Amino acid sequence: MARATRLAKSLAVAAASASLLLGSSPAHAAALSGRVVSVADGTGVAGALVTLDLPAGAPGPAAITVFSDASGEFRFPDSPDALGRDATLTAAKLGYRHVVLGGSAQHAGASLVTALYLAPVADIASEAPASAWLSRAPAGDAKNITLASCSSCHQLASPRMRAYAAQIEAVRAGPGADAAALEQWRRIVRHEAWRTIVKYMRSLHYSVFPLESATNLDAVDWATAQNADYNFFSERQGEIVARYLADHFPRETASLSHEAYATGAPLAAGPRTVIREFAFPPRALVRELVPAPGSPFLWGADVKRNLIVRLDPRSGELREFPVEYAGSSGPHTIAPDDSGALWVTMVDNDQFGRFDPKTERWRLWTLRPSGLANDASLGGAAIVHDMSIDSRGHVARDRAGNIWLTMVGTNQLGTLQPETGDVAFYDTHRIEQLSPINHLIYSAVLSADRAQVWFSQVNGWVGCLDVRSKRVTQLVPFAEGEGPRRMARDDEGHLWVALFGAGRVAKIDMATARVVAKFDLPDRSAAPYAVTWDERRRAVWVANANSDAIYRLDAKTGEIAVIPLPRRMAYLRQLAIDRDGRLIGSYGNYPEGSGPSLGVVIELGDEGTPR
């Protein structure tokens, strides 16, 4: 009872932060359970996220999250030492705020049982994801272009963007202006202010490279940094973005009504779902995290620090393996092959590498297409981006043993024959009025017969290249701004495409190169960055940049369910699935430090999942 008394006192102290403070507990592991209760009527709150945040530097996850059941009950899995240190316990659900009432914790045998309280709120500004602020902005090509252009690096509308918009609205005209003249003046101010941000974003494209890279903003003059031909969106698209934000970005962001935004989908999480988040170092920017066959570890590409990281999800221990290259490399995309080796594309100095987890050694190849300028600007960058994958997200080779790669700097597909070291480059589809880098060629997926490689271009198309003739044989058009980004294929001949700007997922019949379906996501501003095929669940998982959520799309019925994530600014660029059916990912906001830097492991807890 003494511990219950201490916890009751801690509850009162924690009221200001709306969390339950868990003090020192016995050395043995204690199960933590309880109920989430609405203070409005005393009923249980279903589908609430209950998060146990652990102190920085503690072994294991940085945080563990579970979900309440239909009656509001929740239970954490047994976790050694989880309650052996000071920790905070918080409940959250969109449309509620956490309130603390004293004296609610007690022991029940070896378990600690507690009640958490939520109060309904009309204003969801502090809990809503970035995408919510665009829920009422007009749909169409201009919105799609804005989402596809801005959300490539960070969330839209991020807190910093909202703060900037508030500063714009705080600008005042001189005295004596009539209402019409004042509004016209304010329109000019908004447009010029957002034009300035577009220029700033162009320069920050150079932040995709490591700090010590020769390709950074300090190495180029301002005119070069502003050259739209060296950026991921064109001059014309930049003007569309500035105009759309000036006209439609919310004038006031201090509040957001509950009626303005909802997740719009049933939960794909249940009371057995567990989300574990693992902390990376403050300067890390781990874009992706993947499992590898035969390895108990998870592996991530840290683009800012020229290394890959190894995470032990059992202990939270991290090890770092610098790329064995004399200069900056910028590891970007990481994927395993069937043997457990890890393949890593690198955006700097034209590098592509293979890391052997058993020997802990690298082998590197240089892929540099001809015709690139010999300078430090983006005009001289090959930007080796994605590699050909199969339906499991593993590296896939064509019939001749080649790995195919997308080359962002030249809008080409490259090939590497690892045994011989032979490399070659092939032109893809050219869009009128776009420079090579403007196309933003992105994903590469190999067909099941290994005879075709499918590629996406964020600024307009999905294409298919025949690996024998080396020619593009099929093109699937998308409207400007729809933003076909990372793709996956299933085992029935379909290609699934994340439409980043449009907030949709497209399904393409690979035999006919026809779009057979498009699925609207519940949040059309979610910015779906990647899709992942889940063979066992017969589902497509959608990793979103803007909505702090993951979607599950049932491949047969088209029904969509959602897993809300326990962090704001939970920017996801990829999801992988391990052999136990867990979802693996990481939060990857640019620049580093602008959002949480955490690896994410989601144990779905669905019964009957094959192992």
Side-chain angles (χ1 to χ4, degrees), residues 484-570:
R485 206 165 195 127
R486 278 199 160 136
M487 311 183 296
R489 68 167 173 85
D490 61 24
D491 51 9
E492 295 182 345
H494 302 116
L495 188 69
W496 298 84
V497 186
L499 298 181
F500 189 61
R504 288 174 158 176
V505 173
K507 180 181 180 181
I508 295 174
D509 184 330
M510 298 173 76
T512 63
R514 292 180 55 201
V515 176
V516 296
K518 284 184 180 179
F519 301 91
D520 291 351
L521 298 180
D523 180 350
R524 293 291 299 278
S525 301
Y529 204 101
V531 288
T532 301
W533 171 243
D534 187 336
E535 180 179 351
R536 289 177 290 186
R537 297 182 179 91
R538 314 305 296 173
V540 176
W541 292 99
V542 186
N544 300 299
N546 274 347
S547 62
D548 300 336
I550 295 167
Y551 292 122
R552 185 193 67 204
L553 169 61
D554 188 295
K556 183 177 180 180
T557 66
E559 295 175 350
I560 297 176
V562 65
I563 300 178
L565 294 165
R567 302 286 150 186
R568 300 288 70 82
M569 298 186 74

Side-chain angles (χ1 to χ4, degrees), residues 141-473:
D141 290 347
K143 181 179 182 180
N144 294 348
I145 291 168
T146 300
L147 279 164
S149 299
C150 296
S151 300
S152 285
C153 295
H154 59 81
Q155 290 194 335
L156 177 66
S158 70
R160 290 180 65 185
M161 290 187 73
R162 301 199 297 271
Y164 182 78
Q167 290 179 322
I168 296 173
E169 297 307 309
V171 175
R172 294 289 179 262
D178 60 37
L182 177 61
E183 178 54 29
Q184 180 62 26
W185 178 82
R186 296 200 64 77
R187 285 175 61 87
I188 294 171
V189 169
R190 291 183 189 115
H191 190 195
E192 290 305 315
W194 287 112
R195 271 181 166 171
T196 299
I197 286 297
V198 168
K199 292 179 180 179
Y200 179 55
M201 291 300 104
R202 287 201 189 282
S203 69
L204 281 191
H205 275 145
Y206 287 84
S207 72
V208 304
F209 298 96
L211 295 176
E212 61 270 37
S213 170
T215 306
N216 64 63
L217 191 57
D218 292 334
V220 299
D221 58 50
W222 182 249
T224 301
Q226 290 299 302
N227 188 335
D229 288 344
Y230 297 165
N231 275 196
F232 301 150
F233 55 89
S234 68
E235 189 73 38
R236 172 181 157 275
Q237 289 169 332
E239 180 59 24
I240 290 171
V241 170
R243 177 62 68 187
Y244 188 84
L245 292 173
D247 291 344
H248 303 299
F249 197 91
R251 303 285 184 260
E252 189 273 323
T253 59
S255 62
L256 185 69
S257 71
H258 186 42
E259 293 74 23
Y261 179 80
T263 55
L267 272 180
R272 296 178 60 194
T273 301
V274 182
I275 302 177
R276 294 178 175 87
E277 297 171 303
F278 297 86
F280 294 124
R283 286 188 62 245
L285 202 168
V286 180
R287 288 181 49 99
E288 300 162 19
L289 192 68
V290 299
S295 172
F297 305 114
L298 303 176
W299 302 85
D302 189 334
V303 70
K304 298 302 288 188
R305 298 189 299 150
N306 298 307
L307 53 83
I308 63 172
V309 298
R310 190 188 77 182
L311 167 66
D312 187 338
R314 300 161 298 185
S315 66
E317 180 186 9
L318 288 172
R319 276 195 64 192
E320 299 175 349
F321 299 91
V323 177
E324 294 173 0
Y325 182 73
S328 170
S329 56
H332 182 278
T333 301
I334 184 169
D337 63 20
D338 291 347
S339 74
L342 295 157
W343 297 82
V344 184
T345 64
M346 307 182 204
V347 294
D348 206 6
N349 283 307
D350 320 319
Q351 296 300 297
F352 180 51
R354 178 185 184 273
F355 180 79
D356 186 335
K358 297 176 182 177
T359 64
E360 300 181 356
R361 295 304 304 271
W362 288 89
R363 184 180 177 189
L364 301 180
W365 296 267
T366 299
L367 289 95
R368 184 171 180 81
S370 61
L372 283 171
N374 187 24
D375 61 46
S377 77
L378 278 168
I383 312 182
V384 187
H385 200 276
D386 272 21
M387 67 204 88
S388 50
I389 57 172
D390 61 17
S391 62
R392 300 161 300 165
H394 289 192
V395 173
R397 300 192 190 196
D398 67 18
R399 293 174 178 177
N402 294 307
I403 298 173
W404 288 77
L405 302 115
T406 53
M407 313 296 297
V408 169
T410 57
N411 187 37
Q412 291 178 307
L413 286 169
T415 58
L416 167 69
Q417 223 299 339
E419 284 68 36
T420 65
D422 291 339
V423 299
F425 304 96
Y426 305 97
D427 292 335
T428 59
H429 177 62
R430 175 68 188 272
I431 303 170
E432 189 176 355
Q433 296 180 337
L434 294 185
S435 71
I437 200 171
N438 286 163
H439 290 73
L440 196 48
I441 191 170
Y442 218 85
S443 183
V445 175
L446 204 62
S447 61
D449 62 5
R450 301 189 298 158
Q452 299 171 327
V453 59
W454 291 77
F455 61 91
S456 62
Q457 294 169 315
V458 175
N459 277 323
W461 296 76
V462 167
C464 171
L465 182 142
D466 180 87
V467 302
R468 192 171 183 180
S469 68
K470 309 298 190 297
R471 294 183 180 277
V472 174
T473 57

